[in-house]
Amino acid sequence: MAQSNATQTFTCALTGLSPLTDPVVTPSGYVASRKLLLTKLSENGGVDPFDVAGTRRLDESTLVELATASGGTAVAVPPRPPQATSLPSLLGMLQREFDAVLLELYDSRKALEETRRELSSALYQNDAAVRVVARVVRERDEARGRLEEFLAGDHSAAANAANAAAQRSEAAASSATSAAPVTEPQKRGREEEAMATEEEPDVPAKKAKTDEDESDLTKIPAAELSAMSSTWKKLSKGRKSIAKLKRSGEETANNEALLAKLAEGANEKKVNLGKSSAKAGVLCMTSLKSNDGTAEYTVTGGHDRTAIVYNVTSGQIVATLGGAGGDVTSVHGMVFDDGSGMMLVVTGSADGFARAYAVPLVGDDEPTPLGEAESNGGAPVNVTVHPSSSGVGDARILVASSDGTVELWKLSAEGLKLSTRLESKGEEEDGGGGSVKLSSGCMHPDGLIYISGTSDGQLIVWDLKTQAVAGTLKGHDGNPIDFIAISENGYHVATSSSNPANSPIHLWDLRKLKLAATIDPGDDVGRVSSLAFDPTATYLAYAGEESIKVCVAKDWDRVVCTLSLPKSVGGKKGKKKSGGESFGGGVVWGGKGLSVKEGEEGEVWLATGCDGQGPFDSVGLSEGAEGDDN
């Protein structure tokens, strides 16, 4: 214990530190810090830490507090360390602390960057693992399917083996009997039996060949599949560029203002098509564009059993295609870039036939029928010219029929020839599959996926590369799916049902094979009959009994344009008939397109067909173009 006149300080007997701010003295005469001494007592169970024998007990009540200064308020200040006694030393200390902080910050940032790289690598590996698992699951399902087919074929193989064994037994018995002497009549009888036995195996062999020929229809020929796969590689690149398309807020506002101009009706046209003596009505429609982009066409089909090719640019009818024995319910076409100036048009009608026509776009030649394909017991609900088609003499046509089949027909110089027939099987409540009736169909922009809608509200997704069903989706409360539209980026599928009248539009995510959203068309649209995405996959147009609406993709409830349809339709010589009501018979996009680059002006038009009561077909065209009054 050290003392001074001004301040008395104490040294702790436990730690040797000085000065103490809470000194106490024990009965044995040792000075220590009260806090440290109580902590020590609690650790050793109340034994005096200064007792060598370790038997003497020490309690807090026996401790005597010591005053550190006069009045007990002054506290001795510890001396500064030797390195902090001068200004240069202080500056050196601050510099070292600053360097230490910077080094620690650098190490922290380095560790953060390393952690980010490890996280990115882990996420990439997880994504790759998910893709591998999906591929393995798909291969497993394919292997299971092949195994089931193999097991199903074992029964017929066993029967053939039994027949072969029976024939071998009979031959052995015949050879054993031949060892005995026989008469001439017996010999002739045995020779006849042997000849009959030799001829009998030809019958099942011929039948097996027939079965093999029929089973070939379940597979797409290698040459056709190769052409379709090559086209898929080209089209998938364009689809990905559409998927990556991004616009600024100003470009989006300009495009929506352009669409809003359609509702003003300043450039609206009404064109009467078809036979004036036939029942009026356009039931289906598609749009085509010339290779140089200077001419645009619509192809319509309706109650008058004809398909009309109309040049939107010149306002003239190019061709009238007849020959159908019923209402034309589906049309599609393609303009070839082989220099022939030909358009291929395919129609499907209620009489159960799909028909192909060659329509010359230059010169005065008449359209030429190329052939017709009869459905397998049903009526075509959708006809599509496959994008791999390169000319009138080398075209592939898909026909979806109400009997549940999707057929691939090859169009060549010899006419139409059936290549593949895919049987649609739906999902039943008991878990088994059964034949279904198709009500609609649509081709994916890539050309290797075909989606068909059924009469009980199912969507069947076909993978044409493997000729297998990639997925089945259920919706619309079991009501028929009347129309299907697929966005140009290949991500979204829109479907509609006209039963009941207020049925919502369903939006499906094709990547996840699940329902993404629904759209309530509203009473001002009525029963929805047709759908169409714009070429940039940004907007969806849906037409009904009363009007056409255009909504924004992914923000489906936001409507940017509403076009009203006429309440009455005309009769002969333009006379109006009251009580008539327009029904949408297809809706298509046309024009130069929406703006995709800054400073670029867009031009777009919408066309729809009307299924009315007057004796003519009607097509309503609405155009809008900034700076263009034509």
Side-chain angles (χ1 to χ4, degrees):
M1 182 175 65
Q3 297 181 353
S4 65
N5 296 331
T7 303
Q8 188 175 15
T9 60
F10 301 94
T11 302
C12 179
L14 290 174
T15 61
L17 296 178
S18 176
L20 298 178
T21 58
D22 55 346
V24 294
V25 62
T26 64
S28 57
Y30 289 94
V31 177
S33 170
R34 180 186 183 89
K35 181 178 180 180
L36 295 176
L37 183 59
L38 293 179
T39 302
K40 192 68 175 177
L41 291 176
S42 63
E43 291 177 355
N44 59 15
V47 177
D48 189 351
F50 303 108
D51 182 19
V52 179
T55 58
R56 184 171 60 242
R57 309 294 295 179
L58 183 62
D59 187 71
E60 183 180 3
S61 60
T62 62
L63 300 177
V64 178
E65 293 186 3
L66 299 178
T68 59
S70 176
T73 58
V75 179
V77 178
R80 293 180 180 177
Q83 61 270 26
T85 55
S86 64
L87 184 58
S89 299
L90 288 176
L91 293 177
M93 289 178 59
L94 292 177
Q95 183 64 44
R96 288 191 294 272
E97 289 294 333
F98 179 75
D99 294 342
V101 170
L102 288 183
L103 182 61
E104 183 179 3
L105 178 61
Y106 171 76
D107 293 338
S108 299
R109 289 183 176 178
K110 185 177 180 180
L112 176 61
E113 186 65 25
E114 183 68 23
T115 303
R116 285 179 175 174
R117 284 197 299 268
E118 292 177 358
L119 178 59
S120 176
S121 177
L123 291 176
Y124 175 78
Q125 293 176 0
N126 177 74
D127 183 60
V130 169
R131 290 197 298 270
V132 171
V133 169
R135 179 175 56 82
V136 172
V137 169
R138 185 175 66 254
E139 293 176 353
R140 181 202 64 185
D141 294 341
E142 293 176 357
R144 285 180 176 177
R146 295 189 186 119
L147 178 61
E148 292 176 357
E149 294 177 359
F150 175 76
L151 295 177
D154 279 350
H155 300 289
S156 59
N160 294 335
N163 292 335
Q167 292 174 6
R168 288 194 299 270
S169 300
E170 292 177 0
S174 299
S175 62
T177 308
S178 64
V182 296
T183 62
E184 188 66 22
Q186 290 176 337
K187 185 176 181 181
R188 286 197 303 268
R190 290 179 180 178
E191 290 177 353
E192 293 176 356
E193 290 178 359
M195 292 175 62
T197 304
E198 292 176 357
E199 293 176 356
E200 284 179 0
D202 292 340
V203 176
K206 185 176 181 181
K207 183 178 181 181
K209 188 175 185 299
T210 303
D211 293 341
E212 183 180 357
D213 291 342
E214 291 179 356
S215 64
D216 287 343
L217 292 179
T218 63
K219 300 295 182 181
I220 298 178
E224 309 302 327
L225 188 58
S226 176
M228 297 165 67
S229 299
S230 300
T231 302
W232 168 79
K233 293 179 181 179
K234 298 177 182 177
L235 296 179
S236 60
K237 295 180 181 179
R239 180 177 64 82
K240 292 177 181 178
S241 64
I242 295 177
K244 296 178 181 179
L245 183 63
K246 294 183 179 180
R247 296 191 181 94
S248 64
E250 182 180 356
E251 292 171 347
T252 301
N254 292 337
N255 287 332
E256 294 186 0
L258 179 63
L259 292 172
K261 287 182 62 177
L262 297 177
E264 300 175 2
N267 296 319
E268 183 176 354
K269 295 181 182 179
K270 296 178 184 177
V271 182
N272 299 338
L273 303 176
K275 300 177 182 178
S276 61
S277 59
K279 181 181 177 182
V282 171
L283 301 178
C284 51
M285 175 183 292
T286 188
S287 63
L288 304 172
K289 185 177 292 187
S290 62
N291 300 320
D292 56 5
T294 58
E296 295 181 281
Y297 306 88
T298 61
V299 183
T300 62
H303 291 300
D304 62 351
R305 303 183 179 183
T306 63
I308 309 296
V309 181
Y310 177 74
N311 189 325
V312 179
T313 306
S314 63
Q316 296 178 347
I317 295 178
V318 177
T320 300
L321 310 177
D327 294 351
V328 177
T329 57
S330 179
V331 293
H332 198 254
M334 178 179 290
V335 180
F336 297 110
D337 56 359
D338 57 356
S340 61
M342 299 294 291
M343 173 192 294
L344 174 63
V345 176
V346 182
T347 66
S349 54
D351 61 352
F353 284 86
R355 294 174 173 84
Y357 304 86
V359 180
L361 300 179
V362 293
D364 299 329
D365 295 338
E366 295 294 327
T368 304
L370 301 176
E372 58 183 22
E374 185 175 6
S375 299
N376 187 29
V381 297
N382 178 260
V383 293
T384 303
V385 180
H386 195 272
S388 63
S389 303
S390 58
V392 173
D394 180 26
R396 296 157 193 87
I397 300 170
L398 279 95
V399 180
S401 303
S402 59
D403 63 345
T405 61
V406 178
E407 297 175 338
L408 175 63
W409 293 79
K410 176 63 183 298
L411 177 62
S412 61
E414 291 77 15
L416 286 171
K417 180 182 178 181
L418 179 62
S419 298
T420 308
R421 177 183 290 125
L422 305 177
E423 298 282 348
S424 301
K425 302 291 184 181
E427 295 184 1
E428 297 180 350
E429 294 181 357
D430 58 0
S435 299
V436 297
K437 292 184 178 181
L438 300 185
S439 55
S440 56
C442 188
M443 173 65 69
H444 190 273
D446 284 353
L448 281 184
I449 294 178
Y450 188 84
I451 301 179
S452 56
T454 69
S455 59
D456 58 355
Q458 298 185 51
L459 272 182
I460 302 177
V461 182
W462 282 98
D463 184 354
L464 298 182
K465 187 175 184 179
T466 60
Q467 299 92 59
V469 175
T472 302
L473 308 173
K474 295 182 179 179
H476 293 283
D477 298 327
N479 295 310
I481 297 177
D482 297 323
F483 206 92
I484 304 174
I486 305 178
S487 62
E488 289 298 322
N489 58 13
Y491 292 166
H492 300 104
V493 179
T495 60
S496 65
S497 176
S498 59
N499 185 24
N502 58 349
S503 177
I505 300 171
H506 285 198
L507 286 310
W508 309 86
D509 190 331
L510 195 55
R511 295 164 295 181
K512 302 178 181 178
L513 289 180
K514 69 175 185 178
L515 183 66
T518 59
I519 300 176
D520 181 10
D523 295 337
D524 55 342
V525 173
R527 185 172 63 242
V528 176
S529 62
S530 51
L531 310 158
F533 283 93
D534 82 296
T536 64
T538 308
Y539 301 97
L540 170 67
Y542 50 93
E545 299 171 336
E546 305 292 339
S547 62
I548 305 173
K549 284 188 177 181
V550 179
C551 66
V552 181
K554 298 183 181 181
D555 190 6
W556 306 105
D557 293 329
R558 187 162 70 91
V559 177
V560 298
C561 177
T562 301
L563 306 174
S564 299
L565 296 178
K567 292 296 182 180
S568 61
V569 295
K572 293 183 179 180
K573 298 181 180 179
K575 295 181 180 178
K576 299 290 183 180
K577 287 189 177 183
S578 60
E581 199 172 38
S582 296
F583 298 87
V587 61
V588 295
W589 291 81
K592 184 175 64 175
L594 298 172
S595 172
V596 295
K597 298 180 181 179
E598 187 175 357
E600 182 183 71
E601 292 185 352
E603 179 182 351
V604 66
W605 53 260
L606 280 170
T608 185
C610 300
D611 181 14
Q613 304 298 324
F616 68 95
D617 293 346
S618 174
V619 180
L621 298 178
S622 297
E623 299 185 53
E626 294 190 14
D628 188 357
D629 297 328
N630 293 329

